[in-house]
Structure formats: structure tokens, C-alpha cells
Amino acid sequence: MKRRVAAALVIAAAPFLLGACGTDVDKPAAPAGTVATKTDVKNVAEITAGSTFNDTDVMFLQMLIDNLDQGQQMAQTAAKRATRPEVAELAKAVQVTQADEIKLMKGWLAEWGKPATLDERVSLHADHGGMPSTGDKEIASLTTVKKAQFETAFLNLFLAHQHNAVEFAQMELDKGGNELAKSFAERVKQSRTDQVQQMLKLLAG
């Protein structure tokens, strides 16, 4: 289970973690079970997106960075408080993979001369195809909810949170202009959809 969870999370970013010189947007996704190594991810910040982009590309990256920042907070709490190994390993895998994704996206925005932060989180999410973002109070509540109720609270909150990422990715696929960003969005959509299914099974268990 540990390897399966980690692999599903890494697949989204794997083609972008192979070194800048060999990056190919048409390269097929890594096969299931392939996990990026430390050698693979060391050049993430060096991968360039190119000079062609539009407002949707910028908004997608900004919204997803914000989404991932919140996800990191939830995953950090879950890695400490989860009772089942499957939930703890999911949280740990999220932390590792999303840290690399954030580094990648911040590099692209810097390349385009755009900020990596959002000015108005909730309305921006709702106005551009996604549900309202996860609230800071909801995230903070995960640190105080009773341990017996923690996994249910975390999985429900994180499931909705990852669905937001799917919505952002679809927005990019529909209206984005940068081909590498769109390819990344497709992999984000796939990986988060897989995570949603994993969490539904964990909730049912």
C-alpha cells in the first residue's frame, strides 16, 4: 500500500522531474509504480516553461500553489495524527510530491515575471471554476479534533480540497496557452482524481 500510494502521487510530476535537458511534453506518463528518485527531482527548479503563456496559465499556477500550500499544512498534521499507516503514508507522500510541484510552478511564474501568491483566495477560486477554497479555520481544526475522529475529518476535508485541484487543472486544459503547463495540468488532474478514489476507499474502510 505504501508504494502504491506514493507512486500515484508522484506520477503527476514525474515527467517534469527528469532533468531540464531531457524534458519532453509529449513523453508518455511514467508507468504505475514508478517513483521519482532524489536524482530525478534535483533539477526541478531548472525546468523552463517557455515564453508563451496567457492569463489562465498564470492563474492556474497561482491557484494551485495556494492549494498545495494548504495541502501541505493538512498533510503535515495527518502524518503526525493519523492512526492507520495507509493514511499517514498518503500524507507523507503528499508532502514530498507537492513540495516538488510547488518548486516547479514557482519557477515558471518567476520565469514569466509573475507573482506566486494570490490576492483574493476564496472569490478567485469560486469565480474560476472551482469550489470555495478550504478555510484556514477548517485546516486549524484538524489539530484539535479528537483523535478518534481525526481520520474522518482529514479525509473528508482533503478529498474536497483535492477536488478543487482537479477543477483548476480542467480550467487550464480548457483555456491555458502554455503547452507544458497544460501537460502538467493533465497529470495533476489524473493524480488528484486517483487520490480522491483512494480517500473514498479509506473512508469506507
Side-chain angles (χ1 to χ4, degrees):
M1 170 62 77
K2 177 179 179 179
R3 184 178 180 83
R4 207 161 50 240
V5 169
L9 294 170
V10 171
I11 286 173
F16 305 96
L17 307 181
L18 299 177
C21 294
T23 300
D24 183 351
V25 296
D26 296 321
K27 187 174 181 178
T34 299
V35 179
T37 65
K38 290 183 179 179
T39 300
D40 292 329
V41 303
K42 68 179 182 180
N43 292 322
V44 171
E46 300 174 14
I47 300 172
T48 59
S51 59
T52 301
F53 65 94
N54 62 20
D55 289 344
T56 298
D57 297 318
V58 173
M59 185 165 296
F60 163 61
L61 297 180
Q62 290 173 334
M63 292 170 74
L64 191 58
I65 288 171
D66 183 65
N67 176 276
L68 267 57
D69 283 340
Q70 289 189 316
Q72 290 286 63
Q73 296 176 52
M74 287 185 275
Q76 184 176 18
T77 301
K80 296 177 181 178
R81 299 200 67 198
T83 301
R84 285 180 289 174
E86 296 92 339
V87 178
E89 292 300 336
L90 169 64
K92 292 174 184 177
V94 164
Q95 287 180 282
V96 172
T97 303
Q98 292 191 354
D100 286 321
E101 291 176 338
I102 290 170
K103 186 185 298 183
L104 180 75
M105 291 186 289
K106 284 185 176 180
W108 288 353
L109 287 168
E111 182 183 351
W112 296 340
K114 300 295 182 180
T117 56
L118 292 168
D119 292 329
E120 299 179 33
R121 178 189 291 162
V122 176
S123 63
L124 197 58
H125 283 229
D127 291 345
H128 292 87
M131 300 180 294
S133 66
T134 310
D136 292 333
K137 289 183 179 180
E138 294 174 291
I139 295 173
S141 72
L142 293 177
T143 64
T144 57
V145 67
K146 292 181 180 178
K147 194 170 183 65
Q149 301 170 343
F150 173 77
E151 288 190 0
T152 298
F154 166 71
L155 290 170
N156 276 307
L157 186 61
F158 201 60
L159 191 154
H161 187 76
Q162 295 301 70
H163 181 72
N164 258 329
V166 173
E167 295 288 344
F168 303 159
Q170 188 59 56
M171 176 192 73
E172 170 65 16
L173 290 170
D174 291 341
K175 299 180 181 180
N178 181 277
E179 289 304 314
L180 199 58
K182 291 177 74 171
S183 182
F184 177 64
E186 181 59 49
R187 295 171 192 282
V188 167
K189 180 180 177 181
Q190 175 187 330
S191 72
R192 273 50 171 190
T193 299
D194 289 345
Q195 288 173 43
V196 166
Q197 294 305 312
Q198 291 170 5
M199 286 185 281
L200 286 172
K201 291 178 181 178
L202 287 169
L203 280 168

